[in-house]
Amino acid sequence: MKIKKHLQIDAITNSTGRLPSDMENLTVYHHSSSKDEPINVGDMDLTYLIRAYAKCQRQLIRDDKIQSKDARQNSYVQKEAFQAMWDNCEKLKKDLKKTDDIVENNDKIYKKNLQEQEDKVLALSSKICNLLSIIEEKDELLDKQTTHTEYWRDAYYKSSTVKGEVKMFSEIPNDASGKAFVAQLKEYLNKESYKMRVRGQYLDEETKKAEGWQKYERGQPIDKSKCLRIYVDTK
């Protein structure tokens, strides 16, 4: 017997003589797995409804078990994940501690090396200052020695050098007597210590008229000179 019939019988037998308002027009549907379509609950047999309800209950129990299992599995996975995160955090803390120790140790080493370098720089600066002081003293002594040397050198040159030009003889007539005089000087000259140079002096009148003086403004040869001059140099 369908559920609708059971409801009608219930309406006749109850004290009100009618169905509750929400039971008069049933709009509740159940999805039939065998027919693969929704069926109005009022058109279902009571036994079929009871079986469907029992099936739904069993499915709910299975779903609860699966959900509980999944929840336990998820809880286990989450616990493992949290434990891994915790282990990573602990490892990170240890690594950070090691890093801090390394940084602190490196900082100590750096400060120590920096202090050593500063000490070396100070010692080197002191040595440089001492060397500069010594150099300055030596420069002063050298200046004094140079001044002393220059004084005596100037005194020597003043007393030993020839005054004026090194030209010893000039305006010697460029004729037979003059040439004989030059020849005698060369003959009796101390050639170990001195050397003699003979140069022309004054352009002769004949050349001056014939060629002009401009050609020989920087000097002329002996054969075109009016006179002779003699230079005596030390060797």
Side-chain angles (χ1 to χ4, degrees):
M1 184 183 297
K2 297 186 180 299
I3 298 300
K4 290 180 179 180
K5 292 294 183 181
H6 285 284
L7 293 175
Q8 290 174 358
I9 294 171
D10 183 68
I12 295 170
T13 57
N14 64 29
S15 59
T16 61
R18 61 185 179 82
L19 290 173
S21 59
D22 59 340
M23 293 289 112
E24 290 179 355
N25 296 311
L26 287 176
T27 56
V28 180
Y29 290 87
H30 169 73
H31 185 82
S32 173
S33 59
S34 60
K35 296 180 179 182
D36 194 18
E37 61 180 11
I39 301 174
N40 192 297
V41 174
D43 295 330
M44 295 174 64
D45 289 335
L46 179 61
T47 54
Y48 183 73
L49 178 62
I50 293 171
R51 288 172 181 165
Y53 176 77
K55 183 178 179 182
C56 288
Q57 288 296 108
R58 289 193 297 272
Q59 186 63 40
L60 287 174
I61 292 171
R62 284 196 297 271
D63 291 343
D64 287 343
K65 288 181 179 180
I66 292 172
Q67 290 179 359
S68 178
K69 181 179 179 182
D70 291 342
R72 288 195 301 272
Q73 187 173 2
N74 290 335
S75 177
Y76 176 77
V77 172
Q78 290 179 355
K79 183 179 179 182
E80 290 292 321
F82 288 146
Q83 185 63 42
M85 291 174 63
W86 178 263
D87 294 339
N88 288 333
C89 289
E90 290 296 320
K91 185 177 181 299
L92 182 60
K93 285 169 64 177
K94 292 179 180 179
D95 292 340
L96 287 174
K97 181 65 169 60
K98 291 180 180 179
T99 303
D100 290 340
D101 294 340
I102 293 172
V103 170
E104 184 178 359
N105 188 42
N106 288 339
D107 186 57
K108 290 180 180 178
I109 294 173
Y110 171 77
K111 289 181 178 179
K112 181 180 178 182
N113 291 337
L114 181 62
Q115 186 62 44
E116 290 178 354
Q117 294 299 324
E118 289 179 351
D119 294 340
K120 289 181 180 179
V121 169
L122 289 175
L124 183 60
S125 299
S126 178
K127 289 182 179 179
I128 291 173
C129 290
N130 292 334
L131 287 174
L132 289 174
S133 178
I134 293 172
I135 291 172
E136 186 176 356
E137 292 177 359
K138 289 186 177 295
D139 286 341
E140 291 178 357
L141 292 174
L142 183 60
D143 289 340
K144 291 180 180 179
Q145 184 65 33
T146 302
T147 303
H148 184 73
T149 301
E150 289 177 352
Y151 170 79
W152 286 109
R153 183 185 62 193
D154 293 341
Y156 170 76
Y157 282 126
K158 287 179 182 179
S159 62
S160 61
T161 55
V162 177
K163 306 299 187 295
E165 298 183 17
V166 294
K167 180 174 61 178
M168 188 170 289
F169 300 96
S170 65
E171 298 183 358
I172 303 171
N174 191 10
D175 55 13
S177 63
K179 292 179 180 178
F181 175 73
V182 172
Q184 284 183 335
L185 286 178
K186 287 183 178 180
E187 182 180 357
Y188 297 110
L189 180 69
N190 179 9
K191 296 181 178 60
E192 292 182 358
S193 302
Y194 301 96
K195 61 183 178 179
M196 191 173 72
R197 292 179 292 132
V198 181
R199 299 290 184 267
Q201 187 177 19
Y202 309 137
L203 186 65
D204 60 24
E205 296 297 329
E206 183 181 353
T207 304
K208 190 183 297 184
K209 291 178 181 180
E211 302 180 27
W213 60 269
Q214 289 87 352
K215 182 178 178 181
Y216 302 102
E217 61 180 346
R218 294 191 177 182
Q220 70 282 334
I222 292 177
D223 60 348
K224 295 182 182 296
S225 299
K226 181 180 179 180
C227 298
L228 301 173
R229 55 187 174 181
I230 297 176
Y231 296 89
V232 178
D233 303 309
T234 58
K235 289 185 176 182

